[in-house]
Amino acid sequence: MKKRVLVLGLFVLISLVTFTQNVYQGTVLYHQNPEYPIEGVQVSLFGSDNQLVATVETDEFGGYFFDGLSDGTYTVRATTTLPGAQIAIQQAVYILMYINGLYQFDPIQFLAADVNGSGSVNFSDFMFIVVNYFVFHQPFPAGTWIFEEIEFSTGSRDGNSLGGSRIGDVEGVFVPTGRDIINEFIITERESVSPAVNDEFIVPVYANTYSDLVGGYGLVLGFDPQMIEVIEVIPFGDNAAWGILNNQIRISCFSTQLGPLEAFDGKIAEVRVKLLQPATESFFPFNVKGESQVLNSNGLIENDVEYAMPKLLANVSQNVNIATLYPNPASFNAVLSVTSGAAIYADLMLFNQIGQLVMTHTVQLSEGANEFDIPVEELQMGVYQVILRDKATRDMILSQKLIKQ
């Protein structure tokens, strides 16, 4: 009789323990889109006393699972260090439309739009994306990612999906599971210039669109600081903001009235530059980065925008047939050998690795063979650029690297 009571007691105890152990599972989705689960998110479970119970990581399907839970009320929160993608300047348009009552946000969109973390969405969020973030690359005060929270009570095995978003990605387009992103736009040549070293000149940048009603734009121009120095930027639009950061000119301009800017003639910016080193071949002074966007008066992206600008031409002297430099590397002297078809004067220049002129003098070339010594003994070891340029025409005769060992 005692054995039967003991066995029955153990059975009741085991049944009670089994009954009070609960499970909870759910998924983390980008903007609650079932086609875009987020892998690698840290999902944490907190008890009613706000104490951490457990943390798991989402799988490739965005799924997570908690088991062994006692009866009670819990809160699910998520964090991640995933990089995501850069936020496009068009996202600011949705905030402007929301402020003007033309667009409604769902809960995850509202969280994504509150880039300054104030708990509301207003004009300061719009301006932060357009100027602070896009032009000056300042991080969002609200952080990098935002996730919804879920509160549940035990008894339900399956949880609701938990939405997440990159801060600023109001539209939910920058999916962290991967997508093709344009690195640079193709540029077409429009006009050309043949500057000499230290010449200052204007580079017009064109954005050819199908409409002259432009509502805003974000333009990013990359450049080589060893070749050109940016002196002045004149962007299109009265309220344009611009800055130079990490060898990029970054410009943004928007109509805050949700309409077109002043009449757009295709010239999106003018940049005054100085040529720092001779060009050995023709090149575009800027490349247009893929995060650049032109928006129409309705705030939609203009597709198939064609960017154009002048190409900087490298002039090669027609008077010189052969020009060589030896020995290379050199320790004491290098010899410049030039065969000229005419008697001319030329500027012989030597630049260091950061584009500073370390030697210059004028040489006279006779018709036929010529040789000139270039003393390098006093120079520091490194790579130098030897330039020989026709003094009268400014045409390039030779541009070659010289290694001082």
Side-chain angles (χ1 to χ4, degrees), residues 173 175 223 290 362:
V173 293
V175 181
F223 64 92
T362 300

Side-chain angles (χ1 to χ4, degrees), residues 69-113:
L69 304 180
S70 302
D71 287 338
T73 301
Y74 297 88
T75 302
V76 179
R77 302 182 181 125
T79 59
T80 187
T81 57
L82 291 172
Q86 292 295 316
I87 301 305
I89 199 168
Q90 187 201 20
Q91 300 305 305
V93 176
Y94 291 98
I95 295 178
L96 200 58
M97 293 173 67
Y98 171 83
I99 295 171
N100 286 276
L102 302 176
Y103 193 89
Q104 296 299 313
F105 288 158
D106 61 29
I108 193 65
Q109 286 180 311
F110 186 92
L111 293 173

Side-chain angles (χ1 to χ4, degrees), residues 189-193 202-204 206 283-285 308-312:
E189 183 177 349
R190 184 167 176 176
E191 308 162 3
S192 61
V193 291
I202 296 288
V203 177
Y206 301 93
F283 71 102
F284 288 113
M309 68 183 68
K311 182 173 279 190
L312 306 190

Side-chain angles (χ1 to χ4, degrees), residues 35-343:
E35 295 184 6
Y36 296 117
I38 312 178
E39 181 182 3
V41 174
Q42 301 297 315
V43 181
S44 297
L45 185 69
F46 294 84
S48 57
D49 57 358
N50 205 32
Q51 295 297 308
L52 179 64
V53 176
T55 298
V56 296
E57 185 173 291
T58 56
D59 58 24
E60 61 181 312
F61 304 106
Y64 62 91
F65 180 89
F66 295 107
D67 61 2
L69 304 180
S70 302
D71 287 338
T73 301
Y74 297 88
T75 302
V76 179
R77 302 182 181 125
T79 59
T80 187
T81 57
L82 291 172
Q86 292 295 316
I87 301 305
I89 199 168
Q90 187 201 20
Q91 300 305 305
V93 176
Y94 291 98
I95 295 178
L96 200 58
M97 293 173 67
Y98 171 83
I99 295 171
N100 286 276
L102 302 176
Y103 193 89
Q104 296 299 313
F105 288 158
D106 61 29
I108 193 65
Q109 286 180 311
F110 186 92
L111 293 173
D114 182 19
V115 300
N116 61 13
S118 66
S120 63
V121 176
N122 50 46
F123 193 71
S124 63
D125 296 296
F126 166 82
M127 290 301 298
F128 200 100
I129 293 179
V130 170
V131 179
N132 301 66
Y133 177 82
F134 187 84
V135 175
F136 298 110
H137 261 195
Q138 294 178 8
F140 293 131
T144 305
W145 282 82
I146 192 72
F147 291 91
E148 298 171 311
E149 292 186 3
I150 293 178
E151 184 177 300
F152 72 93
S153 298
T154 52
S156 173
R157 292 178 175 270
D158 296 323
N160 297 321
S161 59
L162 188 153
S165 174
R166 281 273 280 129
I167 295 288
D169 184 14
V170 180
E171 193 181 7
V173 293
F174 293 109
V175 181
T177 49
R179 68 188 201 105
D180 294 332
I181 299 176
I182 299 174
N183 292 321
E184 293 179 3
F185 287 92
I186 296 175
I187 301 173
T188 57
E189 183 177 349
R190 184 167 176 176
E191 308 162 3
S192 61
V193 291
S194 302
V197 174
N198 293 324
D199 279 356
E200 292 185 14
F201 53 97
I202 296 288
V203 177
V205 180
Y206 301 93
N208 300 317
T209 65
Y210 290 105
S211 171
D212 59 356
L213 299 178
V214 172
Y217 67 89
L219 180 66
V220 183
L221 302 173
F223 64 92
D224 183 352
Q226 302 218 356
M227 290 301 298
I228 63 171
E229 175 188 349
V230 176
I231 299 172
E232 182 183 12
V233 179
I234 307 170
F236 167 74
D238 292 336
N239 60 344
W242 66 274
I244 299 177
L245 187 69
N246 299 327
N247 304 326
Q248 294 179 344
I249 301 172
R250 305 183 66 87
I251 308 171
S252 69
C253 184
F254 268 92
S255 168
T256 58
Q257 303 303 315
L258 289 174
L261 299 167
E262 60 264 34
F264 181 60
D265 63 359
K267 188 185 295 183
I268 200 167
E270 287 185 332
V271 186
R272 181 182 294 278
V273 302
K274 177 194 287 187
L275 185 66
L276 300 178
Q277 294 192 48
T280 57
E281 59 183 3
S282 299
F283 71 102
F284 288 113
F286 303 108
N287 52 73
V288 182
K289 298 298 184 182
E291 54 192 304
S292 301
Q293 290 183 336
V294 177
L295 308 180
N296 63 25
S297 57
N298 294 320
L300 301 177
I301 297 174
E302 283 277 0
N303 295 315
D304 303 320
V305 176
E306 296 179 354
Y307 293 94
M309 68 183 68
K311 182 173 279 190
L312 306 190
L313 303 181
N315 293 327
V316 179
S317 175
Q318 302 301 310
N319 293 318
V320 175
N321 304 115
I322 303 173
T324 58
L325 185 65
Y326 68 93
N328 194 1
S331 300
F332 300 98
N333 281 292
V335 177
L336 178 61
S337 177
V338 181
T339 300
S340 180

